[in-house]
Amino acid sequence: MTEKTFIPLSVPNFSGKEKEYVNDAVVSEWVSTGGSLVPKFEQAIADYVKVDRAVACNSGSSGLHLSMMIAGIEKGDEVLAPTLTFIAAVNPIRYAGAEPIFIGCDDSLCISPKLVQEYLEKNAKMQQGRCINQKTGAWIKAMVVVHVFGNLADMPALMEIAKQWNLIVVEDSTEALGSYYTDGIYAGKYAGTIGDVGVYSFNGNKIITTGAGGMVVSNHADWAEHAKHLSTQAKTDELNFVHDEVGYNYRLTNLQAALGLAQLEQLEGFIDHKKEMYNFYFEKLNGKNHYKILPFRENTRSNHWFYSLFVEDSHPLHRDEIIQKLQQEKIQTRPIWALIQDQADYPKNEVYGDALAYHYLKHIVNLPCSTNLTKEDAQRVVDVLLSL
């Protein structure tokens, strides 16, 4: 009997010009943070998402840290943030010295506009143009919106709330490069370009990768330039090494930019493939054997980065047992993240409306979704799930 091959959850796809571009960078001897490819990659991303300026950095996390700094988030401030997300979306709030207030999700898995509004109406007041927390007296200065698994959050509703309460909006679009609205007030607008500042990630499991890396975009030109300044050690005099702020070595390398340029050329094809495989899973599993495949938001074109299998209570096996059974068949899956309010130092922070987040945490399994996933492998995943 032929041994079963391993089916990974999400791995890179280097089927384009990656080797050619990286080799050119090596031959040129520009392999570190200098060279022409970083600005070229920045401009290519800016052109793709239709903004004037993009700033490369060495991870999505560093991009979010830069976002906090350029948005003026400081010690003593508070920031609304989702509880259902990867912890890297929230830690930068702490890096800036501020505190998160955790808000639950809606059925998109993204932060719920209804719960945000409810929280603010019950707990905040406007005072001299500032949104003040009546419990702590702190300035609630911003809101972090995460487009979970490439599914766009309800940005029309969230932006209205932000306008009403004078909140800065930071879009964590680390999972959502390529997702955009197709209808409504934001038709044609990409994830990351609707709020004040947006961040993308090019980690190894993302829809395109530079191994590790990120990108910051902003609707404020001076914010983007400030992000670039901070990410390059805040140097004002290249010759004499003069620095006017405490900066960071958050730079992307020329080698990584070479990878990114080759990957970006294939992005639309990657999205097409992900959508095709999502539809395959949906057809084979949705409504069968006590499973549902969670949908993506209507009136959007999602990049379909991750697929969520919802295991109903009526299924004879618990979510963790299903993950274990798949693992025994050499199929890699995962649950969604443990809620952030239960981790690290965050149990002391305020939480509002987390019941639905716990519900989804209990029931979701993320299925293999690589951009080179074959239908044969996807069918193997389906066959195992239907046999349980």
Side-chain angles (χ1 to χ4, degrees):
M1 181 181 291
T2 305
E3 186 176 354
K4 292 175 182 174
T5 57
F6 175 66
I7 302 175
L9 178 66
S10 180
V11 292
N13 182 348
F14 297 134
S15 56
K17 296 182 178 179
E18 289 85 0
K19 290 182 182 179
E20 176 186 338
Y21 291 177
V22 170
N23 184 66
D24 288 347
V26 171
V27 169
S28 76
E29 297 183 351
W30 289 101
V31 297
S32 189
T33 54
S36 63
L37 298 182
V38 172
K40 187 175 180 181
F41 184 41
E42 288 176 330
Q43 190 59 54
I45 290 289
D47 291 343
Y48 178 79
V49 298
K50 302 176 184 177
V51 297
D52 292 332
R53 183 77 164 95
V55 176
C57 51
N58 59 11
S59 70
S61 298
S62 59
L64 288 163
H65 185 200
L66 291 169
S67 296
M68 294 297 149
M69 290 185 287
I70 63 178
I73 308 301
E74 300 173 329
K75 185 175 182 180
D77 293 337
E78 292 179 341
V79 178
L80 302 174
T83 184
L84 182 64
T85 185
F86 182 46
I87 202 166
V90 173
N91 284 339
I93 299 170
R94 281 284 184 86
Y95 301 163
E99 292 292 339
I101 299 169
F102 296 117
I103 307 294
C105 67
D106 58 22
D107 287 318
S108 71
L109 304 183
C110 302
I111 192 168
S112 165
K114 178 177 179 289
L115 292 174
V116 171
Q117 184 70 2
E118 282 181 7
Y119 173 82
L120 292 172
E121 288 178 352
K122 291 178 180 179
N123 299 287
K125 63 180 179 180
M126 290 301 294
Q127 185 174 304
Q128 297 180 329
R130 297 181 175 186
C131 179
I132 302 298
N133 187 332
Q134 296 187 86
K135 295 179 182 178
T136 65
W139 181 1
I140 303 175
K141 191 178 285 185
M143 171 171 53
V144 173
V145 177
V146 181
H147 301 298
V148 176
F149 302 152
N151 196 13
L152 282 159
D154 186 350
M155 291 305 291
L158 290 165
M159 291 302 291
E160 278 296 316
I161 294 168
K163 182 179 179 181
Q164 177 186 350
W165 294 91
N166 198 19
L167 301 174
I168 294 164
V169 176
V170 176
E171 285 185 79
D172 180 337
S173 303
T174 52
E175 301 170 357
L177 180 66
S179 297
Y180 61 84
Y181 273 91
T182 57
D183 196 13
I185 188 174
Y186 295 123
K189 296 284 286 185
Y190 282 81
T193 70
I194 298 170
D196 294 280
V197 58
V199 180
Y200 306 108
S201 170
F202 309 123
N203 191 37
N205 66 344
K206 296 302 191 292
I207 195 161
I208 68 169
T209 185
T210 57
M215 196 76 71
V216 178
V217 297
S218 177
N219 285 314
H220 307 280
D222 55 333
W223 287 23
E225 289 308 314
H226 193 198
K228 187 66 174 180
H229 185 59
L230 289 170
S231 73
T232 53
Q233 297 286 21
K235 188 185 293 183
T236 57
D237 187 324
E238 293 284 339
L239 178 63
N240 294 298
F241 296 93
V242 176
H243 309 262
D244 64 350
E245 293 183 78
V246 175
Y248 300 83
N249 184 12
Y250 280 171
R251 295 170 292 179
L252 194 75
T253 68
N254 213 48
L255 280 178
Q256 289 173 304
L259 269 181
L261 285 164
Q263 288 273 285
L264 186 58
E265 289 176 354
Q266 303 166 83
L267 176 54
E268 286 301 311
F270 288 166
I271 292 172
D272 288 344
H273 185 77
K274 278 192 173 274
K275 185 175 181 180
E276 180 183 3
M277 300 313 297
Y278 169 85
N279 290 337
F280 181 86
Y281 280 133
F282 192 93
E283 178 188 349
K284 301 286 186 178
L285 292 171
N286 192 56
K288 299 173 184 176
N289 200 32
H290 313 280
Y291 299 128
K292 290 189 294 187
I293 300 290
L294 294 193
F296 290 92
R297 189 178 298 281
E298 293 181 359
N299 302 322
T300 71
R301 195 289 296 266
S302 172
N303 70 359
H304 289 72
W305 178 59
F306 258 31
Y307 317 144
S308 295
L309 177 78
F310 184 92
V311 181
E312 296 177 341
D313 285 325
S314 54
H315 197 287
L317 297 180
H318 183 268
R319 176 207 67 184
D320 292 345
E321 293 175 298
I322 291 172
I323 291 173
Q324 185 178 24
K325 293 284 187 183
L326 288 162
Q327 185 176 4
Q328 290 169 358
E329 295 294 326
K330 296 190 175 181
I331 298 169
Q332 184 182 28
T333 60
R334 67 166 225 194
I336 55 175
W337 317 276
L339 303 193
I340 301 179
Q341 72 226 32
D342 298 326
Q343 303 186 63
D345 191 48
Y346 294 119
K348 70 181 185 183
N349 288 80
E350 280 189 82
V351 184
Y352 186 81
D354 57 1
L356 192 59
Y358 277 113
H359 173 71
Y360 279 117
L361 172 62
K362 178 183 174 183
H363 290 279
I364 287 179
V365 177
N366 289 132
L367 300 178
C369 59
S370 301
T371 54
N372 52 15
L373 179 69
T374 66
K375 282 192 177 178
E376 290 75 17
D377 282 346
Q379 185 63 56
R380 214 177 100 204
V381 176
V382 167
D383 290 342
V384 174
L385 285 168
L386 293 179
S387 73
L388 299 178

